[in-house]
Amino acid sequence: MKKILNANRGEIAVRIIRACREMDISPVAVYSECDRAALHVRYADEAHSIGPSPPRESYLRIDRLIEAARRSGADAVHPGYGFLAENEQFAAAVRDAGLVFIGPPADAIEIMGSKTSARRAAQRAGVPVVPGTEEPIPASASEPEIAAIADSIGFPLLVKAVAGGGGKGMRTVVDPSELVNAVRAARSEAGTAFGDAAVYFERRLSSARHIEVQLLGDPHGTVVPFVERECTIQRRHQKVVEESPSLAVPPPLRRAMMADAAAVAKAVGYTNAGTIEFLVDPDGHHYFLEMNTRLQVEHPVTEMVTGVDLVQWQIRIARGERLDLDPVRAGTPDGHAIECRIYAEDPDNNFLPSPGRVLQLRAPGGPGVRDDGGVAAGLDVPIFYDPMVSKLIAWGDDRPRAVARMRRALGEYVIAGIKTTIPFFMWLLDQPEFLDGRFHTTYLDEVLRSRNGRPFLEPAAGEEETATIAAVIHAVLASGDGRKSGAGGDVVAGRWRAQARSEAVNK
């Protein structure tokens, strides 16, 4: 394997390119019109245009991606995550073109990509599942029939899309009177996001934790599960903070979940990287939730506590190599890691997207800090895609040290020109429930509602003036290339905010 085409963009494309470099493999990028100057394009050996900016005209075009691979002479394709990463038709098309797909077999993606068929696979493997419907709710079902199905599951329940993930096509129903509208809304959103409007019902477990197990499988029948990741901190069903290990998982539960994750993977002949997601109730019982047949956004926290490069192992497995990882090492955390997803969103305005030009960016560093970024100063965060700027990961000997290191790293992060979620994370890391590990999947939504729109970081004395001056300076500097530039945004995020607060305290 000498050349790999990256069928993705942003920070995951940069991450894959770095793995290729270390393995002496030539990385190839693809780009849409708005990504012509993107960071992943700059990092690659060569880059090929795949069409206009909207995803359906570029990153979701299987034919254009295959053509770009042929044009470049690539012998393999890495899908990253998102876009076509869990599309069995894409995996099959890559292999039909005589290329190596760096991921699981198409039939495994098909089985596990449908949440209802994945539930059945888990049950066949003897793994407990969250109570729910075993088949999608028929599109022809009448309102009374839908109500009867829901009554058999019990309330509260979740209406969930059969395909996809990321919280799309999902609605919580507490009162039966909300059911029909929830089904209608979930179907509409699922159809738009995934091209599949099918939904099913699942019991909503109260005060549950969302725990997942990373695994790797090779073509020779070996499956290695890893120490768990804590993914309970979510906003509207979307993960925002991930950790490894979990405070809520004692060693016996860890071993049980790892064994069950491996059993499900073996039952469907799974190879390459994947993740089994579980819900854990307050009594410590775990239930299979779903499988992600790809690399996860939060894979760095597993890498930080195990020392295993998951992306390089994806490539090695695709080359036919045998997994020679020590299962004990994979399942035993070395210290603690935490990840914050830095998005171009305005947390003080209901987390609305904040696309635009990044006027300045200085990522934090130092011991135990890793920044997986996908943009740079002078580049735009486009309106067409997920607004992730970077993933900030901190490692420490234990959780308190990891949290302290993350606080320090967030305080150093400088991003000007756009709003980001950095102030939100600085607030979250100070909350007693977070520090004590006393949270569940709906904790964040509940506490955010109780804030009634209060800003996450109150401006310190003199800070607003500093922000205004900095914004004007950056706008003037950025206007030198003749392009419009948005002044304002998180101009004093990170170290400048911390300095302003410190000065105010010391007055």
Side-chain angles (χ1 to χ4, degrees), residues 245-480:
S246 168
L247 292 179
V249 178
L253 179 57
R254 174 178 300 146
R255 291 190 291 269
M257 286 196 296
M258 289 172 60
D260 281 352
V264 173
K266 290 179 179 179
V268 296
Y270 196 88
T271 61
N272 216 271
T275 296
I276 303 293
E277 300 191 343
F278 296 97
L279 286 182
V280 178
D281 69 20
D283 295 324
H285 300 122
H286 68 284
Y287 303 89
F288 172 86
L289 184 62
E290 62 186 65
M291 184 178 194
N292 293 122
T293 57
R294 53 169 167 80
L295 192 69
Q296 291 281 84
V297 175
E298 57 271 23
H299 75 273
V301 295
T302 297
E303 293 182 327
M304 295 288 271
V305 297
T306 64
V308 175
D309 188 314
L310 293 170
V311 178
Q312 289 197 18
W313 264 111
Q314 283 191 288
I315 296 170
R316 294 174 65 180
I317 290 169
R319 292 196 301 206
E321 294 186 32
R322 291 182 179 271
L323 273 169
D324 60 3
L325 295 172
D326 179 1
V328 175
R329 177 188 176 194
T332 306
D334 176 16
H336 193 98
I338 181 171
E339 173 181 291
C340 292
R341 301 187 184 191
I342 310 298
Y343 280 101
E345 295 176 341
D346 183 356
D348 291 332
N349 190 16
N350 201 28
F351 293 87
L352 287 178
S354 176
R357 176 146 307 163
V358 178
L359 303 181
Q360 182 183 11
L361 190 152
R362 185 167 66 250
V369 172
R370 167 177 165 179
D371 180 71
D372 282 19
V375 299
L379 299 181
D380 292 332
V381 177
I383 63 173
F384 301 97
Y385 316 117
D386 183 271
M388 182 180 286
V389 175
S390 77
K391 300 179 309 194
L392 183 62
I393 308 100
W395 177 92
D397 291 326
D398 54 27
R399 189 173 188 265
R401 289 183 176 89
V403 171
R405 188 162 276 165
M406 176 62 79
R407 257 200 223 98
R408 185 266 296 170
L410 288 166
E412 291 179 3
Y413 220 134
V414 176
I415 303 176
I418 58 173
K419 297 282 188 179
T420 77
T421 50
I422 290 174
F424 158 73
F425 286 118
M426 296 179 78
W427 165 84
L428 177 63
L429 265 60
D430 279 337
Q431 299 311 297
E433 296 89 350
F434 176 81
L435 295 175
D436 296 340
R438 293 182 287 110
F439 45 76
H440 45 79
T441 53
T442 59
Y443 155 75
L444 187 55
D445 287 332
E446 292 169 4
V447 74
L448 289 179
R449 282 195 296 269
S450 71
R451 288 180 53 79
N452 295 320
R454 296 197 308 276
F456 286 97
L457 284 181
E458 300 289 350
E463 186 177 349
E464 291 183 352
E465 293 82 357
T466 303
T468 302
I469 295 170
V472 171
I473 292 172
H474 283 297
V476 171
L477 292 175
S479 66

Side-chain angles (χ1 to χ4, degrees), residues 107-122:
D107 57 352
I109 296 176
E110 183 176 12
I111 293 170
M112 303 309 288
S114 163
K115 294 183 178 66
T116 49
S117 65
R119 285 166 55 86
R120 293 193 296 270

Side-chain angles (χ1 to χ4, degrees), residues 54-141:
R56 291 190 179 280
E57 300 179 45
S58 51
Y59 294 104
L60 293 175
R61 286 288 299 267
I62 294 175
D63 56 338
R64 291 179 180 173
L65 292 166
I66 298 295
E67 176 56 32
R70 285 177 170 150
R71 212 162 50 233
S72 68
D75 41 25
V77 174
H78 196 305
Y81 51 69
F83 294 131
L84 295 169
E86 294 182 279
N87 185 302
E88 66 272 14
Q89 294 176 349
F90 181 50
V94 169
R95 287 169 173 139
D96 289 347
L99 305 170
V100 175
F101 181 73
I102 302 176
D107 57 352
I109 296 176
E110 183 176 12
I111 293 170
M112 303 309 288
S114 163
K115 294 183 178 66
T116 49
S117 65
R119 285 166 55 86
R120 293 193 296 270
Q123 289 173 315
R124 289 194 299 271
V127 177
V129 302
V130 178
T133 53
E134 301 307 320
E135 299 291 341
I137 306 303
S140 60

